[in-house]
C-alpha cells in the first residue's frame, strides 16, 4: 500500500455520537486524498469500541483504531503518532468536523513550506449547525480557548498557539524530537507544552485560515466551570515545568472578582457579560492552581 500523504489522529473518550460523524467526514475525502484515519479510544465506557470495530470492518485499508486504559489525550496521541504511517500528521479532535478543503489546505501549506520544522495551524470555529449562545460567542474570541483573531505574524506564530484541535506537522520531525508529556491527564495545556518544547527545536508554526475545522461542541457557562478548574491545575504544572512565574493570586481579590463577575454575567450586554464570564472563571482557575500547589508543595 502506498504511504498515505496524511494521517489523521483523533483521541476520543466517551464521545461516540459525534465521533462517528467526524470519522465519516474524513472517510468521505479518501477518494481525492491518500489518507489514513487513526483513532485512539482512551478507555471509553460507551459504545465507542463497537462503532470503531464496525468502521474498521468497512474501511480496513484507511481506518484503524487502538485502545488504551484511560490515560488522557496526551498518551493517546503519542500512541497514535507511533503507529501512524503518513508523511504528515494532522492532530485534531473527535468533535472537529473538517471543511471540504481542510485536508487539502494543510497539504498545500506543507508543500509551500516543505521544511520538516514547520507546523500548519488551521482555523477552528463553531459549527454552523449549533445555536451559538452568548458564552460561546465570547469564548471563541476571548483567548481562553483559542486566540485566532489576535494580530500575530501568520508565518511565525508563538508556540502558545500549538492547538491540537487542528494542527499538522511532519511525523518524521515529531519522532526525532518530542512527544506529548503524559503527565497531562486532561486536554488542558498539554498541546501548548509540546509547542513550547518543539519551539526550542526550531519548530515554526504557520497559519492557514482556509484549513477550517468546525467545532461541534455545544457548551454553556455552567459546564465550562469544571474545565476551567482543571485548566488552572495544569497551567500551574506547565508554569512549574517551564519555570514561568505565574502572577500572584490573592484570595480576597479572587473572591471579589467572583462576586462582581456573577453580577456582571446577568447584564444583557456582551461586553459586561464578557467581564462577568472572565472574572467568575478566574475564581475557578484559582481553585485549580491552589489544588496543584497543595498536591505538589504541601
Amino acid at each position: 500500500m502506498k504511504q498515505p500523504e496524511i494521517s489523521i489522529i483523533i483521541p476520543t473518550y466517551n464521545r461516540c455520537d459525534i465521533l462517528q460523524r467526524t470519522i465519516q467526514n474524513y472517510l468521505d475525502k479518501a477518494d481525492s486524498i491518500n489518507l489514513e484515519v487513526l483513532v485512539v479510544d482512551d478507555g471509553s465506557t460507551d459504545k465507542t469500541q463497537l462503532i470503531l470495530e464496525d468502521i474498521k470492518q468497512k474501511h480496513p485499508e484507511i481506518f484503524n483504531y487502538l485502545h488504551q486504559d484511560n490515560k488522557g489525550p496526551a498518551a493517546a496521541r503519542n500512541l497514535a503518532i507511533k503507529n501512524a504511517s503518513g508523511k504528515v500528521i494532522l492532530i485534531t479532535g473527535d468533535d472537529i468536523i473538517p471543511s471540504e478543503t481542510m485536508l487539502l489546505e494543510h497539504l498545500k501549506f506543507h508543500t509551500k513550506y516543505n521544511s520538516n520544522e514547520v507546523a500548519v495551524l488551521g482555523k477552528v470555529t463553531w459549527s454552523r449547525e449549533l445555536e451559538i449562545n452568548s458564552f460561546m460567542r465570547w469564548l471563541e474570541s476571548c483567548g481562553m480557548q483559542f486566540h485566532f483573531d489576535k494580530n500575530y505574524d501568520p508565518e511565525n506564530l508563538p508556540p502558545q498557539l500549538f492547538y491540537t484541535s487542528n494542527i499538522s506537522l511532519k511525523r518524521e520531525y515529531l519522532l526525532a524530537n518530542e512527544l506529548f508529556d503524559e503527565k497531562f491527564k486532561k486536554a488542558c495545556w498539554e498541546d501548548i507544552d509540546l509547542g513550547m518544547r518543539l519551539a526550542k527545536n526550531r519548530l515554526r508554526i504557520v497559519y492557514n485560515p482556509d484549513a477550517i475545522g468546525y467545532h461541534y461542541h455545544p457548551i454553556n457557562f455552567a459546564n465550562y466551570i469544571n474545565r476551567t478548574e482543571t485548566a488552572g491545575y495544569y497551567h500551574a504544572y506547565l508554569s512549574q515545568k517551564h519555570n514561568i512565574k505565574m502572577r500572584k493570586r490573592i484570595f480576597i481579590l479572587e473572591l471579589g472578582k467572583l462576586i462582581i463577575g456573577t453580577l456582571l454575567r446577568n447584564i444583557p450586554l456582551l461586553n459586561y457579560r464578557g467581564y462577568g464570564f472572565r472574572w467568575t472563571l478566574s475564581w475557578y482557575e484559582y481553585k485549580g492552581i491552589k489544588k496543584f500547589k497543595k498536591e505538589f508543595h504541601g
Side-chain angles (χ1 to χ4, degrees), residues 4-18:
E5 296 176 85
I6 188 166
S7 297
I8 295 96
I9 286 177
I10 303 172
T12 191
Y13 177 71
N14 285 349
R15 301 288 300 282
C16 63
D17 292 337
I18 187 59

Side-chain angles (χ1 to χ4, degrees), residues 36 109 160 190 233 290:
E36 71 171 354
F109 264 48
Q160 288 76 17
E190 82 292 350
Y233 182 94
K290 295 292 287 184

Side-chain angles (χ1 to χ4, degrees), residues 89-107:
I89 286 178
L90 171 69
I91 306 174
T92 185
D94 55 12
D95 56 2
I96 305 295
I97 308 295
S99 65
E100 287 301 314
T101 58
M102 187 179 105
L103 295 182
L104 290 172
E105 288 293 335
H106 274 282
L107 291 172

Side-chain angles (χ1 to χ4, degrees), residues 65-93:
Y65 79 93
L66 301 165
H67 182 275
Q68 67 176 23
D69 293 336
N70 184 236
K71 299 177 183 178
R77 294 191 193 108
N78 285 346
L79 181 61
I81 290 166
K82 293 171 185 175
N83 284 273
S85 56
K87 298 177 183 178
V88 172
I89 286 178
L90 171 69
I91 306 174
T92 185

Side-chain angles (χ1 to χ4, degrees), residues 44-87:
S44 296
T45 57
D46 60 4
K47 296 180 181 179
T48 293
Q49 186 173 351
L50 293 175
I51 288 170
L52 295 179
E53 287 176 350
D54 182 62
I55 297 173
K56 172 66 175 176
Q57 186 176 15
K58 293 176 181 176
H59 304 275
E61 293 186 356
I62 59 173
F63 179 78
N64 198 6
Y65 79 93
L66 301 165
H67 182 275
Q68 67 176 23
D69 293 336
N70 184 236
K71 299 177 183 178
R77 294 191 193 108
N78 285 346
L79 181 61
I81 290 166
K82 293 171 185 175
N83 284 273
S85 56
K87 298 177 183 178

Side-chain angles (χ1 to χ4, degrees), residues 84-177:
S85 56
K87 298 177 183 178
V88 172
I89 286 178
L90 171 69
I91 306 174
T92 185
D94 55 12
D95 56 2
I96 305 295
I97 308 295
S99 65
E100 287 301 314
T101 58
M102 187 179 105
L103 295 182
L104 290 172
E105 288 293 335
H106 274 282
L107 291 172
K108 182 175 79 173
F109 264 48
H110 278 286
T111 299
K112 179 180 178 181
Y113 305 92
N114 60 9
S115 168
N116 271 5
E117 297 166 355
V118 169
V120 178
L121 177 70
K123 184 177 177 63
V124 175
T125 189
W126 295 116
S127 169
R128 298 167 182 172
E129 300 176 31
L130 295 177
E131 182 177 347
I132 311 300
N133 58 46
S134 60
F135 178 68
M136 291 168 70
R137 283 196 297 272
W138 173 79
L139 188 62
E140 186 168 39
S141 60
C142 72
M144 289 191 69
Q145 181 160 279
F146 300 120
H147 219 165
F148 292 106
D149 298 330
K150 192 167 181 179
N151 188 27
Y152 294 115
D153 177 358
E155 296 205 354
N156 192 14
L157 299 176
Q160 288 76 17
L161 269 68
F162 191 89
Y163 297 145
T164 49
S165 294
N166 185 6
I167 197 164
S168 62
L169 64 169
K170 308 294 195 302
R171 177 175 176 270
E172 179 182 354
Y173 170 83
L174 260 181
L175 291 176
N177 289 281

